[in-house]
């Protein structure tokens, strides 16, 4: 029965990988449209102004801003839900399991930012230092899906954990460094709305639709406060209980309903609205002659590999953390390279960092180029790395049981892909390349740190939501 039930994280990964394909189609369509004879229509379409509300509550933006400041709230809300899941009932709830991806993500954010500044320098161009910090989960997981079994489940879990921590860092950067004006009264209103939502949760209100009016008010107050409105989505996602309320998995229900909308509608619309770069008339050659373009390429391609890969190596050497089960240490570089696919959030930060159309165009060329290079580099590194061993642990269901690629049950026994008996023995392991005849869980190829963790409990529930 456990094998027949898909875990929420597996559904998340499936939607992300499929959504990555739709995202590519949308980005290519935007490029073709913006460089076709109908290019003027592309610009006019997204510059159309639309007003919502009336009187003092009237909000007017062009279509591109409605996508970026309105629809993208749903994208960041889903990110908030997944962050909450991982922190409460997922891999990031365990200190040792969370240490490595957290520090790797930190290195994968700081090093690219420093590389950007080193290449681009200061001034207006220097404001884009936050652009190469981001990782696009949809694109990265899409590449992993195309690799199939050539990328171990451990590599997928590692990259997803790094990307989630990366999202937390990017959200903090947007809130702190890319907020130009701040209206404290509206900000207080947004905080008050969040407190109302928290109070409703404390009273046991579990029906999602009852939170919609409060969520709209929080979004509007955040928009008027000067803090980017999408952060309201993250805050509301983090307030969602990760464990069942009155027997109902609220977070599961929300993610199951909203994630497909985010992956197949919101993010592709964002790409269609923002990836249309006019490359005619020598614009492409001009972009490659500018430091902003090369600063982003250096940050996303080299910075991510050095930051994620280097910190991962250091953390393992210091024995502060271990790689997920089933991940070969040589897969780290491949996963780190895929971290350089910074499409969605990088484009998002570009519009916050720059107002000059020339700098925005150069940044977008750098992002698209770097994302292609990172995807190809990561795919080659993962394809040529030795195959992983076994399935990695995926996020547990809210009741503490785990299902996933390894189909682990909450009692500590394991069932695998049909060849792993519940008594802990694993027939066939002694014949695996690089295993050197070590039976059971005593050793895994390429990860000498694993034996130290073999007795660590995996499904220990922790109090709190």
């Amino acid at each position: 029965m456990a094998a027949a039930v898909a875990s929420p994280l597996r559904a998340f990964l499936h939607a992300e990988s499929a959504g990555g394909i739709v995202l590519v189609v949308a980005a290519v369509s935007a490029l073709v449209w913006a460089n076709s004879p109908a290019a003027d229509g592309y610009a006019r379409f997204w510059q159309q102004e639309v007003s919502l509300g009336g009187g003092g509550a009237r909000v007017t933006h062009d279509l591109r801003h409605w996508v970026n400041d309105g629809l993208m709230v749903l994208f960041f809300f889903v990110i908030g839900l997944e962050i909450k899941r991982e922190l409460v009932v997922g891999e990031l709830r365990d200190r040792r399991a969370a240490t490595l991806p957290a520090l790797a993500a930190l290195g994968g954010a700081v090093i690219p930012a420093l590389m950007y500044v080193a290449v681009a320098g200061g001034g207006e161009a220097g404001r884009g230092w936050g652009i190469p910090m981001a990782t696009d989960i949809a694109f990265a997981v899409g590449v992993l899906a195309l690799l199939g079994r050539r990328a171990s489940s451990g590599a997928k879990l590692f990259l997803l954990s790094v990307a989630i921590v990366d999202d937390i860092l990017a959200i903090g950067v947007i809130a702190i460094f890319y907020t130009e004006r701040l209206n404290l009264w509206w900000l207080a209103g947004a905080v008050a709305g969040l407190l109302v939502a928290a109070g409703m949760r404390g009273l046991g209100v579990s029906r999602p639709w009852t939170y919609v009016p409060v969520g709209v008010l929080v979004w509007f107050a955040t928009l008027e406060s000067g803090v980017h409105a999408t952060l309201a989505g993250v805050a509301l996602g983090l307030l969602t209980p990760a464990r069942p309320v009155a027997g109902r998995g609220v977070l599961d229900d929300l993610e199951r309903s909203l994630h497909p909308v985010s992956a197949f509608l919101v993010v592709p619309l964002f790409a269609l609205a923002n990836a249309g770069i006019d490359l005619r008339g020598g614009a492409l050659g001009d972009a490659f002659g500018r430091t902003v373009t090369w600063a982003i390429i250096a940050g996303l391609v080299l910075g991510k590999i050095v930051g994620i890969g280097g910190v991962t190596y250091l953390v393992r050497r210091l024995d502060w953390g271990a790689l997920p089960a089933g991940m070969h240490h040589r897969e780290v570089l491949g996963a780190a390279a895929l971290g350089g696919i910074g499409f969605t959030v990088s484009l998002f930060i570009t519009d916050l960092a720059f107002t000059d159309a020339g700098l925005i165009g150069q940044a977008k060329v750098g992002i698209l180029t770097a994302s292609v290079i990172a995807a190809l580099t990561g795919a080659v590194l993962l394809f040529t790395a030795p195959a992983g061993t076994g399935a990695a642990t995926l996020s547990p269901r809210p009741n503490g049981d785990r299902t996933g690629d390894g189909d682990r049950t909450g009692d500590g026994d394991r069932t695998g892909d049909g060849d792993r008996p519940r008594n802990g023995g694993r027939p066939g392991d002694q014949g695996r390349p690089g295993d050197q005849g070590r039976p059971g869980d005593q050793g895994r190829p390429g990860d000498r740190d694993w034996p130290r963790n073999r007795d660590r409990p995996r499904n220990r529930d922790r109090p709190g939501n």
Side-chain angles (χ1 to χ4, degrees):
M1 182 178 295
V5 180
S7 72
L9 183 55
R10 291 184 68 185
F12 178 88
L13 290 171
H14 176 73
E16 284 290 355
S17 59
I21 298 174
V22 179
L23 185 56
V24 171
V25 173
V28 172
S29 299
L31 281 171
V32 172
W33 188 1
N35 292 275
S36 70
D40 291 340
Y42 176 84
R44 285 195 304 270
F45 178 79
W46 294 110
Q47 289 171 359
Q48 294 180 84
E49 289 194 345
V50 177
S51 297
L52 292 180
R58 183 184 181 88
V59 181
T60 301
H61 287 299
D62 61 34
L63 281 177
R64 180 178 285 111
H65 278 89
W66 275 118
V67 172
N68 295 351
D69 296 350
L71 289 181
M72 285 296 283
V73 173
L74 182 62
F75 168 76
F76 280 96
F77 178 70
V78 173
I79 286 179
L81 293 177
E82 192 57 30
I83 290 173
K84 182 64 177 286
R85 177 196 303 286
E86 290 301 306
L87 290 175
V88 177
V89 296
E91 289 299 317
L92 297 182
R93 81 191 191 283
D94 184 274
R95 181 189 62 79
R96 184 172 176 84
T99 297
L100 192 149
L103 292 179
L106 182 62
V110 173
I111 299 301
L114 293 176
M115 282 191 174
Y116 178 94
V117 173
V119 176
E124 180 68 17
R127 282 182 50 80
W129 58 268
I131 297 172
M133 295 178 66
T135 295
D136 191 299
I137 298 179
F139 264 138
V141 173
V143 173
L144 289 175
L146 293 176
L147 290 172
R149 293 186 177 274
R150 292 302 306 176
S152 70
S153 54
K156 297 172 185 176
L157 177 60
F158 174 76
L159 181 59
L160 181 64
S161 300
V162 168
I164 288 173
V165 178
D166 186 285
D167 284 334
I168 297 174
L169 296 173
I171 290 164
V173 166
I174 292 171
I176 297 172
F177 297 101
Y178 290 108
T179 296
E180 296 184 355
R181 60 180 180 85
L182 190 63
N183 186 310
L184 294 180
W185 289 108
W186 279 112
L187 184 61
V191 173
L194 292 174
L195 291 176
V196 170
M200 292 171 63
R201 171 189 159 180
L203 293 174
V205 179
S206 60
R207 295 188 179 278
W209 65 267
T210 58
Y211 290 87
V212 172
V214 178
V216 172
L217 291 175
V218 170
W219 167 80
F220 181 74
T222 306
L223 179 67
E224 294 297 313
S225 72
V227 177
H228 203 275
T230 53
L231 298 180
V234 178
L236 290 168
L238 292 175
L239 283 176
T240 305
R243 302 185 190 278
V245 177
R248 179 174 183 173
V250 179
L251 190 148
D252 287 348
D253 292 345
L254 283 172
E255 196 167 23
R256 190 179 301 112
S257 301
L258 297 180
H259 189 262
V261 178
S262 172
F264 297 112
L265 178 62
V266 174
V267 175
L269 272 177
F270 174 83
L272 192 62
N274 292 275
I277 313 169
D278 191 344
L279 303 176
R280 298 169 297 176
L284 185 60
D286 179 69
F288 281 113
R290 305 290 181 174
T291 56
V292 168
T293 304
W294 289 106
I296 292 174
I297 293 174
L300 284 174
V301 177
L302 297 179
K304 287 292 185 179
I305 293 177
V306 173
I308 296 175
V311 171
T312 299
Y313 174 80
L314 181 62
V315 170
R316 295 184 67 219
R317 290 286 293 179
L318 296 174
D319 194 28
W320 290 353
L323 292 174
M327 183 180 184
H328 194 279
H329 67 276
R330 283 176 57 183
E331 291 181 301
V332 171
L333 288 180
L338 291 183
I341 306 176
F343 188 80
T344 304
V345 182
S346 291
L347 286 175
F348 189 83
I349 295 178
T350 295
D351 284 332
L352 299 178
F354 300 133
T355 56
D356 181 81
L359 291 176
I360 292 175
Q362 296 162 30
K364 289 183 177 181
V365 170
I367 292 168
L368 293 175
T369 304
S371 296
V372 172
I373 295 174
L376 294 175
T377 303
V380 170
L381 289 173
L382 287 170
F383 189 81
T384 57
T389 60
T393 305
L394 295 182
S395 292
R397 298 180 65 82
N399 63 4
D401 292 341
R402 294 177 181 236
T403 61
D405 289 347
D407 292 325
R408 298 185 180 187
T409 58
D411 59 4
D413 295 336
R414 298 185 184 186
T415 62
D417 296 327
D419 59 350
R420 297 169 70 175
R422 297 177 63 87
N423 62 6
R426 297 191 302 166
D429 263 10
Q430 297 186 10
R432 294 186 179 180
D435 210 311
Q436 299 181 359
R438 289 179 290 177
D441 280 331
Q442 297 298 314
R444 302 200 177 205
D447 195 350
R448 297 180 180 179
D449 294 335
W450 181 261
R452 299 185 181 94
N453 301 319
R454 63 180 178 267
D455 296 326
R456 176 169 56 84
R458 292 179 170 83
N459 288 320
R460 181 171 52 212
D461 288 335
R462 296 189 176 187
N465 282 347

